[in-house]
Amino acid sequence: MGFHFDALSLFGLAAVCASLFCYIMERRSPWWTLGFAFANFAASSYAFLQGAWPFGLIEIFWGLAALWRWWDTRAAS
């Protein structure tokens, strides 16, 4: 017995881990916020490829919200 990860599962794991890491680091630089946005878009891609479209839609909105925050932060400085 054991865990078996296919390529899609590994992509999803990497996307969610990147999202978490970027979220933790967001206060250090606006570039982490941009990374958070792209990690959410990657997680959304994973969700749609896996068939979990509600999760995919929510991740798109999280990604757009992060892009908005990044844009506001860049415009303010």
Side-chain angles (χ1 to χ4, degrees):
M1 191 184 261
F3 292 108
H4 173 71
F5 287 105
D6 59 1
L8 182 60
S9 296
L10 288 175
F11 172 68
L13 178 63
V16 172
C17 287
S19 178
L20 177 63
F21 184 73
C22 289
Y23 178 76
I24 291 169
M25 302 296 285
E26 261 190 311
R27 291 186 182 195
R28 294 178 182 233
S29 168
W31 295 107
W32 288 110
T33 304
L34 185 62
F36 180 64
F38 284 112
N40 280 314
F41 292 138
S44 176
S45 299
Y46 161 73
F48 282 115
L49 289 170
Q50 195 251 356
W53 63 267
F55 178 69
L57 286 176
I58 294 301
E59 288 296 318
I60 286 174
F61 290 125
W62 274 113
L64 290 173
L67 275 179
W68 185 273
R69 278 195 323 271
W70 176 77
W71 187 261
D72 278 351
T73 304
R74 301 271 301 158
S77 58

